[in-house]
Amino acid sequence: MDYFLDEEQLMIRDLARQIADEKIVPVRAELDEKEEFPWDIMKALAQSDFFGLYIPEEYGGLGKGGFELSIAIEELSRACLGVSTSYAANALGTYPILLFGSEEQKKKYLPDIASGRRLVAFALTEANAGSDAAGVQTTARLEGEEYVLNGTKQWITNGGEAEIYTVIAITDRAKGARGASAFIVEKGTPGFTFGKKENKMGIRASSTRELIFEDCRIPKENLIGRQGMGFIVAMKTLDKSRTGVGAQGVGVAQGAFEAAVNFAKERRQFGAPVISFQAVQHMLADMATQIEAARALVYSVARYIDSGARDVSKESAMAKLFATDVAMKVTVDAVQVMGGSGYMREYPVEKMMRDAKILQIYEGTNQIQRNIIGQSLIKETAKKRQGG
Amino acid sequence: MNIIVCIKQVPDTAEIKINPETNTLMREGVPSIINPFDLHALEAAVRIKEDLGARVTALTMGPPQAESSLREAISMGADDAVLLSDRAFAGSDTWATSYALAGAIRKLGADIVFCGKQAIDGDTAQVGPETAEFLDIPHVSYVRNIEWIRDNTIRVQRLMDEGYDVVESPLPVLLTVVKELNQPRMPSLKGKMAAKKAQIRMMGKADIEADEDSLGLKGSPTKVKSIFAPETKAGRMMIEGGPEEQVDILIKELRKIKCL
């Protein structure tokens, strides 16, 4: 379907597709097998300006929005979700600085992020804090001109590979959710080390590690926004980035769908290509319809957010929820359409199915997304009652 | 430093067919690309720009539609582009092409001129060296590595059948490059946006102060007598069967001719 992309958006899509086809598709199986971080591809994306897509021009970026970022993420995800996760996690790590950072912080960090010279990671999750963000145990204590960080972050995407980390830590436990703050921590800071690299079911090209802070001292200026704003920073960041996860869902579903269609045209049973059988056609028809619906929702929400809408929690949760559930269903069905071949590592769809599962889990499980939507519905009805 | 990269727009030979009657390429409907070797030349120039600072100009001689190749060169890092185009150039062989290119390069001025080692449509590998001769500057062909550039001197490695030569040359110099030199980059988004807006400078025969008789068909000493497909070599053998079977046959045959 034609979504009326403008000339520059088409350029972004086509170049992302070219990089995906030429640089990612040939190596994705090997990256998955070896759990190898895709540095060559990150460098190609950097050289082609993709890391600066959503960063304002004054900091060396292209000044585009979340919509253009979604287009790029979708194309990369069509080839490999492990690669697109490594790419998209940068935006997640950058949003706290972009949305709440001081002018000095933006000047210091954004140009390096935009050029791709330094990767970024966002660190919220801990052993006892994920869906329940208020469970964060990592602390940051102000001592003179420095904050002292202690604690362990878990399952951090781009952990170890990134050089800049935006970290949520508790500055005043007595204040509950208002007691958290966001910080910038650079790799190499004494007291900041990395734990084990996780061995994952999917997105194995991406790096997932623990971040360990042991009396890690950072300058006071590395506080993002004001003390106590940590949860607002985290929530607004996730509101912004969720459509990107939705775009990942659209992309991986599209990739699996294309593989299934091509296979169904080639594979012959009972003297005919299997695509000629209604049972297969109906599966493919459902897959195509679901993908198009997911894409339409993700694009609409991304454009809505870029328009400057204030509260986008519900819409971004819907885009993430719907598109990633579609991704799971479509990748499972792609394996089914391809039968025994689909189950084999020789074909890309079993990897896509393993990869897709994470989309229903990270950046807020799809159950949490439903909570967000539900809470928005309650708020909306309360407002209506007040108004009427 | 000024660097000129000569590029040629060629039909994508991966998708080309030969007219069986005339034995010439059927160019209709075939997508055009930048000659792949020229991409390595462009990449080398852009890397010098990034390391030492330079102005990179892409130059092509061809019909007006060759402009799209120049825009692509800008999207990959060229600063500007010149299209050398004139009806008088039609029918040029490598001699007349080199003559015209040299005229343009003389006007533009260059410390280093890069060319691909050859174009994939003609495969002559003549235009680079001939252009250097018309310019009366040294050239090094088949460059596979650039070691350094300093004090108006460049040191490169020239790929040979066995190993390589290390060659030093004063600037200005013309280099033709092989694909071993580097891995050409993808275009960048900023480059593509710049390419869309870029002004392509046009040059015609008047701009290069050419001798009319040296241009186009008139200036081309090459006369094509006939075009034919070479006979395929005899004495070949295709081995079939499963991998193990094939290896057995291969070993037997190699022993037969005393290679093993």
Side-chain angles (χ1 to χ4, degrees), chain A residues 17-83:
Chain A
R17 187 172 293 179
Q18 189 186 348
I19 291 172
D21 289 342
E22 291 179 22
K23 303 263 177 195
I24 303 177
V25 170
V27 298
R28 62 184 172 190
E30 193 187 341
L31 292 174
D32 175 62
E33 188 80 28
K34 293 188 178 162
E35 292 193 276
E36 196 180 302
F37 190 78
W39 270 116
D40 286 351
I41 299 163
M42 291 298 119
K43 280 179 190 145
L45 288 169
Q47 207 158 44
S48 297
D49 301 324
F50 275 91
F51 285 100
L53 207 50
Y54 57 95
I55 291 174
E57 286 171 281
E58 55 189 305
Y59 306 112
L62 289 163
K64 300 290 172 190
F67 179 54
E68 286 80 4
L69 179 62
S70 293
I71 294 171
I73 291 173
E74 177 187 337
E75 289 304 325
L76 301 179
S77 305
R78 189 169 146 260
C80 176
L81 218 48
V83 170

Side-chain angles (χ1 to χ4, degrees), chain A residues 12 14 61 79 81 136 138 156 178-179 187 204-205 208 226 246 308 311 361:
Chain A
I12 291 163
D14 293 346
L81 218 48
V136 168
T138 299
I156 304 308
R178 291 216 174 87
K187 184 177 177 176
R204 289 162 58 82
T208 310
R226 291 190 313 277
D311 188 0
I361 298 169

Side-chain angles (χ1 to χ4, degrees), chain A residues 25 28-29 32 77-82 201-203 249 251-264 283-284 287 291 326-359:
Chain A
V25 170
R28 62 184 172 190
D32 175 62
S77 305
R78 189 169 146 260
C80 176
L81 218 48
M201 173 194 212
I203 57 163
V252 70
Q254 181 70 34
F257 170 74
E258 285 168 13
V261 170
N262 289 337
F263 183 88
M283 285 182 80
L284 293 172
M287 290 156 78
I291 294 168
V326 162
M328 195 68 248
K329 182 161 190 328
V330 167
T331 52
V332 168
D333 286 347
V335 172
Q336 189 68 21
V337 166
M338 293 173 66
S341 298
Y343 199 73
M344 299 300 156
R345 293 242 160 144
E346 197 184 330
Y347 290 88
V349 290
E350 64 81 26
K351 170 185 175 298
M352 290 171 170
M353 180 179 139
R354 282 186 284 115
D355 288 349
K357 187 64 207 170
I358 192 62
L359 300 178

